[in-house]
Amino acid sequence: MEYKTKHMHANSSCSYCAISYMVQTFGIDVMDVDIAKEINLHLMFEKNNGQYNSGFMLQNKKWFDLFLNPKGLELVETELDKKSIIDFLKENKNVMLGLKTSQGKHAVVLTEYKNDRFKFFNPRHEGSGDEEYIVLTEDKLADLLDDRISIARIILCENKSVDLKDGLINSLSALESYNRDLKSFIESNANRKAYRDNLDLFRPLLLDGLTMMEVVNESNLASLMKQSQKQLLSFIRGTENALNQKAFLIAVNEIIAYWENMVKNALKM
């Protein structure tokens, strides 16, 4: 079959773009943001092994199956060592995996193995200038793989209804925990280096969260997030000599409370 070009429409949405490419095999034509909207990804928040995630950083079987299961599909994840993965890729296609890049892991989809070359669909933003496909030799591919890596395939299954309620309830719990951790950090730190070293703590709220709110046109919340993001980055970059901790904490609390109310409203529906 002929595959349509797929693009990333948001930061960090490469795996969702990869899924949108893969489901074409089953006659489904969607974009990364369509998948996110269908599963109410903008409402979801997670604490996993002490790390908080939101938006397009929620990217494993648990989240993808919310989209796939009602369509009679499911994601199958397998962890293999480097040699086993390369052997597996020689015999299979339409497989998603992450390649190492200078910006971190990037999801790609194997489309073909031919003439000792692996051809991958490369999720990228439209107009970025990046190639739609990447072709790699076995040695080059090995250089871009971790020693152990998870690969993902989509297979047929019985149609399953999904209930977003559990995800929403868990999101509320994670947001409450996140609010406490942010409050503790902000009240305990006024040092620029501390904020710079712990910038990832704010990512779920002021980067990935902001991206999702823009995707679903939650403009009021996105505006609040942008203001706090600007305040934080100005301090970290040295544009502002000090961070008004009290004002920053009030803003963060307001953003999380807004998010929590959206989740609560969704639970009432």
Side-chain angles (χ1 to χ4, degrees):
M1 65 172 292
E2 184 175 345
Y3 287 82
K4 290 185 180 179
T5 296
K6 296 293 179 179
H7 292 102
M8 293 171 58
H9 295 86
N11 294 326
S12 305
S13 70
C14 57
S15 60
Y16 282 79
C17 182
I19 293 292
S20 75
Y21 185 88
M22 295 168 75
V23 295
Q24 291 184 88
T25 297
F26 303 95
I28 300 171
D29 184 12
V30 292
M31 299 185 296
D32 52 358
V33 291
D34 295 327
I35 298 172
K37 290 175 182 178
E38 187 167 325
I39 65 174
N40 280 337
L41 194 64
H42 68 290
L43 299 177
M44 303 302 183
F45 202 91
E46 180 183 65
K47 184 177 183 180
N48 188 14
N49 295 324
Q51 179 176 330
Y52 295 102
N53 289 304
S54 70
F56 287 108
M57 292 305 291
L58 300 171
Q59 46 182 246
N60 57 27
K61 175 180 172 62
K62 170 185 173 181
W63 302 103
F64 294 138
D65 275 355
L66 292 176
F67 169 75
L68 295 171
N69 284 174
K71 298 167 179 59
L73 303 171
E74 69 173 312
L75 195 78
V76 176
E77 294 180 315
T78 307
E79 185 177 285
L80 298 169
D81 59 46
K82 187 181 297 189
K83 183 181 184 308
S84 297
I85 286 175
I86 290 176
D87 290 340
F88 180 87
L89 295 177
K90 290 179 180 179
E91 302 295 330
N92 294 272
K93 63 180 180 179
N94 213 32
V95 178
M96 177 171 65
L97 64 153
L99 299 182
K100 292 186 289 187
T101 74
S102 57
Q103 287 80 42
K105 286 288 185 61
H106 181 62
V108 296
V109 180
L110 179 73
T111 63
E112 184 180 63
Y113 175 68
K114 186 177 180 181
N115 299 327
D116 298 324
R117 298 290 189 274
F118 297 88
K119 182 180 179 181
F120 295 93
F121 165 69
N122 175 36
R124 76 271 184 241
H125 292 277
E126 189 170 8
S128 66
D130 294 333
E131 296 293 332
E132 181 176 2
Y133 293 95
I134 302 171
V135 179
L136 301 172
T137 63
E138 183 173 328
D139 288 343
K140 182 59 178 176
L141 174 59
D143 289 341
L144 300 178
L145 295 174
D146 289 331
D147 290 334
R148 293 196 66 81
I149 191 168
S150 178
I151 59 173
R153 295 173 294 131
I154 296 175
I155 65 170
L156 293 169
C157 69
E158 291 186 7
N159 286 44
K160 304 174 186 176
S161 61
V162 297
D163 186 354
L164 301 179
K165 184 177 179 179
D166 286 345
L168 294 171
I169 292 172
N170 291 336
S171 293
L172 279 179
S173 176
L175 281 165
E176 291 171 3
S177 175
Y178 185 56
N179 200 16
R180 289 193 298 269
D181 286 352
L182 283 184
K183 182 176 186 292
S184 176
F185 178 84
I186 293 169
E187 289 180 340
S188 303
N189 292 279
N191 181 277
R192 180 177 286 109
K193 185 178 185 301
Y195 279 85
R196 186 180 292 122
D197 291 346
N198 290 276
L199 188 57
D200 279 350
L201 179 61
F202 296 91
R203 174 171 181 159
L205 194 70
L206 302 182
L207 180 60
D208 299 318
L210 171 57
T211 294
M212 274 313 315
M213 298 311 162
E214 290 178 330
V215 165
V216 296
N217 296 316
E218 282 287 346
S219 55
N220 290 335
L221 182 52
S223 178
L224 293 174
M225 290 174 166
K226 284 181 180 178
Q227 293 172 25
S228 292
Q229 183 194 75
K230 181 179 179 181
Q231 188 178 4
L232 177 61
L233 293 179
S234 294
F235 174 58
I236 288 175
R237 293 166 179 168
T239 307
E240 298 292 336
N241 291 327
L243 180 69
N244 186 328
Q245 290 167 281
K246 184 177 180 180
F248 186 59
L249 181 57
I250 290 173
V252 165
N253 287 338
E254 183 179 0
I255 292 168
I256 294 177
Y258 196 127
W259 198 329
E260 288 175 336
N261 283 333
M262 289 196 305
V263 177
K264 290 174 182 176
N265 288 335
L267 283 168
K268 293 176 185 177
M269 296 174 64

